[in-house]
Amino acid sequence: MATQARELPPKQELPRDDGDDYEDDEDEEEEEGEEGWDDWESDGDDAAGGSGGLLCLFCSARFDSDGPLFAHCGSVHGFDFHKLVRELGLDFYGCIKLINFVRSKVAENKCWSCAEISQLEGKVPWAEDSYLKPFMEDDSLLHSLSIFDDEEDEDCGMPVVTGECSVGNGRSGELQGNGLNTIIDDCSDISARFEKAVTTESNGGDNNGSLSEEQTDRQLKITRASVTAKEIKKVDDNYFGSYSSFGIHREMLGDKVRTDAYRDALLDNPSLMNGATVLDVGCGTGILSLGFSSAKAGASRVVAVDGSAKMSSVATHVAKNNGLLYDENANTEQKGGPQVISVVHTKAEELNHKIVVPPNGFDVLVSEWMGYCLLYESMLSSVIYARDHFLKPGGAILPDTATILGAGFGRGGTSLPFWENVYGFDMSCIGKEVTGSSARFPVVDVLDSKDVVTDTAVLHYFDLATMKESEMDFTASLELRLPESGAAAVAGVTWCHGIVLWFDTGFTDRFCKDKPVVLSTSPFSTPTHWSQTIFTFEEPIAITNEKSVVGSSASVGSAECPAGTIRSRISIVRASEHRSIDISIETTGISSDGRKRSWPAQIFNL
């Protein structure tokens, strides 16, 4: 029975920094040609934007300021940054895009010179707004550009870039693109503060004058983007740090339904796992890599990544203590056997910054990425990135399907029965207040199957082998009706107090041909640590299988005119707060004679 909102501990996810055991000599040059699994090397901390000065665009040299850095790029690497800025008329945005573009190409072992870029005609290859996003985490160079310092208004407390707005390709114009617009929209909670700051500074004195509308808009965009990046990093740090608690891992490892499903999928499908190269995204303690993907399942190589520095270290020690840790220093003859596991501390999106990964080099991608209501914590986007960049064409992703299902629940799914009789005292006034609060906040709890009052309906289905990241945001409808036959059939009027959602994930015969497996978090199955997610209506809705009284003037959904169907239009989208989701529910009751009644939309944040 759902009695109170449960605090939501973060689910396991991706990775960030490699351990010292995987660092290689930075002076050692990479061999040309196709990379093999035995040729993997760590790129060291520089790839992650470590401390100690500004990192060169092309090598591991570091500098105290951008002036010496760009001079070095020109003299040593033949890349004249300032010349490109002048010739192409790049503004601040264009410079940011160019730096991120060059870093991305260098990471792909693609070389770019000033001569090549200056000969480009038309739209430059870094014009997309995607290059506004820092390619390298904590890239100090992006915050240290002094090329526009002489254009700042000395009387204004905020830097101002003068001249026309360029889109980074030498042509004037207004910055466009969904990427930046999304950043701005997602920062609505801080927008007012920056707008007030700019307005105050720009109108602060007669000599200061006023900032132009274009300048103000551009400065706000820069400030908001910077703050958004810092907020995302803060949320990620807290998220990965929370997984340093062994209590969370104890709960997940103790979830027999969860762990047995992954064990069966990996160990009971030898045709898939024998000799396979495996990527484990969000490895935690490493149970999937260590116990199920390596020696027992017959994998030839396993790379386990995790964003928690502590858990990456723990997984490394566990692999070593169990004789499964891969030794990079061993010669070819010594490699093989059960020592197949490498543990990398990094995000999945930054794996190729930490180690050299053969393109699409993995046969199998496994991850336990699911959160409450399936999508809480938004880890799925990292799994999709890993699938698209590291999995071989036709490679297996486990699990490969996910389905969100729902049903209506009755009074027993609320806290009302508890508060009506507390050691013989009537405290129903408290129950009503608690239920009212539940209509604004989702409750994560185990719902007793006897409290489910309608048939189960599918809300949304994901094909994890083909879906795009944008499909994580969706709108779909549930149509809920009372069971018409069987033991669950109910005569008369039943009160539906809300909707409960859960998910199933499938290890289907598309990849698990020997033994398909289903992991279910249904209230009709053995409870898991995911429980179910409960959304309470503002007011209960009467529902029945019987026909409504024709000509009744009573409202649909009341005891006098119960609904025959409850239709709920549900939207689940990633929230502006990183790793959260917003859920909106629009509910309509439909009587047997076709009359309808709609209730105000309810908005929940998880």
Side-chain angles (χ1 to χ4, degrees), residues 159-174:
V160 180
V161 182
T162 61
E164 294 185 336
C165 179
S166 168
V167 294
N169 58 4
R171 293 188 292 271
S172 298
E174 195 63 32

Side-chain angles (χ1 to χ4, degrees), residues 500-513:
V500 56
L501 297 181
W502 66 89
F503 65 86
D504 291 351
T505 55
F507 304 79
T508 73
D509 58 6
R510 171 168 42 183
F511 301 122
C512 296
K513 300 184 183 301

Side-chain angles (χ1 to χ4, degrees), residues 159-335:
V160 180
V161 182
T162 61
E164 294 185 336
C165 179
S166 168
V167 294
N169 58 4
R171 293 188 292 271
S172 298
E174 195 63 32
L175 255 182
Q176 299 177 357
N178 292 334
L180 193 53
N181 291 335
T182 300
I183 290 174
I184 296 171
D185 291 341
D186 288 351
C187 292
S188 57
D189 55 330
I190 60 172
S191 296
R193 297 203 300 269
F194 290 115
E195 290 174 2
K196 180 178 179 181
V198 173
T199 303
T200 301
E201 292 291 343
S202 62
N203 297 324
D206 294 338
N207 293 331
N208 288 348
S210 60
L211 293 175
S212 68
E213 181 179 348
E214 178 182 323
Q215 292 170 335
T216 303
D217 182 60
R218 291 163 63 196
Q219 182 58 47
L220 285 172
K221 289 178 180 179
I222 297 169
T223 306
R224 291 165 181 162
S226 176
V227 172
T228 299
K230 291 178 181 178
E231 288 298 318
I232 289 175
K233 183 179 184 302
K234 181 179 178 181
V235 172
D236 280 345
D237 288 345
N238 292 336
Y239 172 74
F240 293 129
S242 68
Y243 276 99
S244 298
S245 167
F246 291 122
I248 293 176
H249 295 281
R250 172 66 178 82
E251 181 183 18
M252 291 189 292
L253 291 172
D255 185 340
K256 186 172 175 61
V257 174
R258 162 196 181 267
T259 308
D260 283 357
Y262 278 87
R263 180 200 62 192
D264 293 346
L266 295 171
L267 294 185
D268 294 344
N269 285 281
S271 63
L272 172 66
M273 298 301 298
N274 190 31
T277 53
V278 180
L279 175 62
D280 179 3
V281 175
C283 67
T285 58
I287 184 65
L288 303 186
S289 297
L290 307 176
F292 306 151
S293 297
S294 55
K296 288 187 177 180
S300 63
R301 192 78 167 87
V302 180
V303 175
V305 296
D306 200 278
S308 167
K310 180 175 180 179
M311 294 315 301
S312 297
S313 176
V314 168
T316 299
H317 285 292
V318 172
K320 185 176 182 180
N321 292 343
N322 286 272
L324 300 172
L325 189 65
Y326 180 77
D327 184 359
E328 293 184 347
N329 298 318
N331 58 43
T332 304
E333 290 75 18
Q334 294 174 315
K335 291 179 180 178

Side-chain angles (χ1 to χ4, degrees), residues 351-365:
L351 178 60
N352 57 354
H353 300 182
K354 303 299 297 181
I355 59 176
V356 177
V357 184
N360 304 111
F362 292 96
D363 300 306
V364 177
L365 167 61

Side-chain angles (χ1 to χ4, degrees), residues 421-437:
N421 185 355
V422 183
Y423 294 96
F425 295 97
D426 182 359
M427 297 187 181
S428 56
C429 59
I430 298 177
K432 293 178 181 178
E433 185 172 337
V434 171
T435 302
S437 176

